């Protein structure tokens, strides 16, 4: 249940074939929805980017550029494609359906049973683009097909120090964090790896990760169901909704906290601390050391 970089895995012909020219020709002018940002650090919480649509071949060539003759916001804007299903609210991303020609070039590592497969997310990033820190609820492989990435990871047990808003951390700049605003962040233990073309990073469910594309690059993210299928939210097409039992538990906790508000402050503080102790006793792992 720890991240690991796999090297030398057989991934198919994608690692040699997927040049800018080949990608542009293979899937042609089909339209794709992309993220466009004027700054390298994309923030999903403040939404410092816009969604735009481009023909795939035009998008690939723009994403590979540093300066753009044609652009939406600025000549040095960054681009990011995270493939989605035909209907993003109902359908999962699957490279075999959205990019069938490219899918023929990929051999996905067989580290899970076929019925556990959830999605295969095709990703293309401009050089320098950095994605926000977040966790996913399923195990996944980040397959770096071309280009280089740096990935910073944090253990699930360091969640108290990451200033969470849902599945995402509010700490955008993990290299130069604002410690006046996020003083506990220094307690989070940082793990880091560098991925080159052909490398595969295993990211276990609940591990936080922050990804920066050091070069223009193409990647494939493959998610699978580590838990029994019925544990997951059936409406989840992205693989980032908490398991249904966790969602129910949080709703129950919210109701309990609202009930405590009926008490005076001194009593509320006392019984809240008792609740915390009970949660630690009943639910915390004791093998972290």
């Amino acid at each position: 249940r720890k991240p690991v970089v796999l090297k030398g895995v057989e991934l198919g012909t994608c690692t040699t074939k997927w040049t800018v020219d080949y990608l542009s020709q293979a899937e042609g002018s089909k339209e794709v929805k992309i993220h466009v940002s004027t700054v390298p650090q994309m923030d999903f919480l403040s939404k410092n980017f816009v969604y735009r649509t481009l023909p795939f071949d035009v998008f690939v060539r723009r994403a590979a550029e540093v300066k753009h003759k044609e652009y939406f916001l600025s000549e040095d804007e960054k681009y990011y494609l995270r493939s989605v299903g035909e209907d993003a609210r109902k359908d999962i991303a699957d490279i075999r359906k959205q990019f069938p020609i490219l899918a023929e070039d990929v051999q996905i590592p067989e580290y899970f049973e076929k019925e556990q497969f959830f999605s295969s997310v095709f990703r293309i990033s401009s050089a320098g683009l950095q994605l926000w820190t977040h966790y996913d609820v399923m195990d996944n492989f980040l397959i770096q097909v071309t280009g280089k990435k740096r990935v910073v990871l944090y253990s699930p047990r360091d969640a108290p120090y990451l200033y969470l808003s849902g599945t995402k951390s509010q700490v955008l700049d993990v290299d130069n964090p604002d410690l006046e605003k996020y003083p506990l962040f220094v307690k989070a233990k940082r793990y880091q790896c560098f991925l080159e073309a052909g490398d595969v990073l295993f990211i276990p469910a609940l591990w936080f990760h922050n990804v920066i594309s050091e070069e223009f690059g193409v990647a494939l993210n493959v998610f699978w169901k580590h838990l029994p299928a019925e544990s997951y939210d059936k409406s989840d097409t992205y693989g980032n909704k908490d398991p249904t039992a966790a969602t129910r538990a949080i709703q129950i906790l919210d109701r309990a906290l609202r009930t405590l508000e009926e008490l005076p402050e001194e009593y509320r503080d006392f019984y809240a601390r008792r609740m915390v102790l009970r949660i630690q006793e009943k639910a915390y792992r004791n093998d972290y050391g």
Side-chain angles (χ1 to χ4, degrees):
R1 307 304 304 156
K2 292 183 179 179
V4 65
V5 176
L6 306 174
K7 291 183 172 287
V9 177
E10 179 53 53
L11 299 173
T13 58
C14 57
T15 53
T16 54
K17 288 175 72 173
W18 284 8
T19 63
V20 170
D21 287 340
Y22 175 77
L23 289 168
S24 301
Q25 294 165 8
E27 294 289 350
S29 59
K30 70 193 310 177
E31 291 203 328
V32 290
K33 189 176 182 180
I34 57 173
H35 302 65
V36 182
S37 176
T38 58
V39 295
Q41 290 178 328
M42 293 181 67
D43 182 0
F44 194 83
L45 295 174
S46 70
K47 297 290 196 301
N48 65 346
F49 54 84
V50 296
Y51 292 104
R52 292 291 183 266
T53 302
L54 279 176
F56 182 73
D57 52 352
V58 174
F59 157 69
V60 170
R61 294 190 181 282
R62 278 210 209 172
E65 299 171 342
V66 177
K67 296 282 185 182
H68 313 293
K69 292 182 179 178
E70 296 184 42
Y71 50 85
F72 295 107
L73 305 172
S74 68
E75 64 176 7
D76 57 354
E77 64 192 14
K78 304 293 183 184
Y79 298 94
Y80 171 55
L81 168 68
R82 190 265 189 220
S83 66
V84 295
E86 302 309 315
D87 183 338
R89 294 168 297 178
K90 299 178 181 177
D91 304 320
I92 61 163
D94 188 340
I95 190 174
R96 295 168 297 184
K97 295 179 181 177
Q98 287 93 46
F99 300 91
I101 297 172
L102 295 178
E104 293 177 4
D105 302 333
V106 181
Q107 183 175 319
I108 294 174
E110 295 183 357
Y111 281 77
F112 54 91
E113 301 297 332
K114 283 184 170 59
E115 59 270 19
Q116 290 179 286
F117 171 84
F118 177 71
S119 66
S120 50
V121 181
F122 186 59
R123 302 182 189 270
I124 297 181
S125 304
S126 294
L129 185 81
Q130 186 170 13
L131 292 183
W132 51 90
T133 305
H134 67 283
Y135 71 87
D136 300 296
V137 300
M138 296 183 192
D139 287 355
N140 67 92
F141 280 142
L142 176 55
I143 301 170
Q144 191 64 29
V145 181
T146 69
K148 296 180 180 179
K149 277 192 174 76
R150 185 200 71 179
V151 185
V152 176
L153 303 110
Y154 300 95
S155 165
R157 66 173 170 173
D158 282 343
Y161 314 132
L162 297 180
Y163 297 87
L164 298 186
S165 176
T167 62
K168 303 161 187 69
S169 170
Q170 296 177 50
V171 186
L172 192 61
D173 190 343
V174 296
D175 298 308
N176 297 288
D178 182 345
L179 295 180
E180 287 191 9
K181 194 172 183 181
Y182 309 113
L184 295 178
F185 186 71
V186 293
K187 295 187 176 183
K189 183 177 180 181
R190 174 186 176 124
Y191 298 82
Q192 180 170 286
C193 65
F194 294 89
L195 303 180
E196 299 188 353
D199 289 348
V200 179
L201 172 62
F202 169 56
I203 306 176
L206 309 183
W207 273 77
F208 296 88
H209 45 287
N210 178 289
V211 182
I212 184 168
S213 297
E214 299 196 321
E215 301 174 342
F216 163 78
V218 184
L220 184 65
N221 228 175
V222 181
F223 293 83
W224 66 91
K225 297 177 180 179
H226 171 66
L227 303 176
E230 61 272 15
S231 302
Y232 299 99
D233 187 324
K234 289 182 173 57
S235 67
D236 186 6
T237 58
Y238 285 83
N240 60 8
K241 288 189 177 181
D242 291 314
T244 53
T247 299
R248 290 199 311 273
I250 291 170
Q251 290 170 346
I252 292 167
L253 176 61
D254 286 341
R255 289 200 297 272
L257 292 172
R258 285 197 297 271
T259 304
L260 281 185
E261 291 175 4
E262 299 173 12
L263 295 169
E265 183 180 27
E266 183 179 349
Y267 283 77
R268 188 165 66 243
D269 179 273
F270 173 72
Y271 286 104
R273 292 176 189 275
R274 281 194 58 186
M275 287 170 64
V276 170
L277 290 172
R278 190 166 180 80
I279 290 172
Q280 289 177 335
E281 177 189 349
K282 295 291 185 181
Y284 275 29
R285 289 177 60 176
N286 57 14
D287 59 348
Y288 273 142

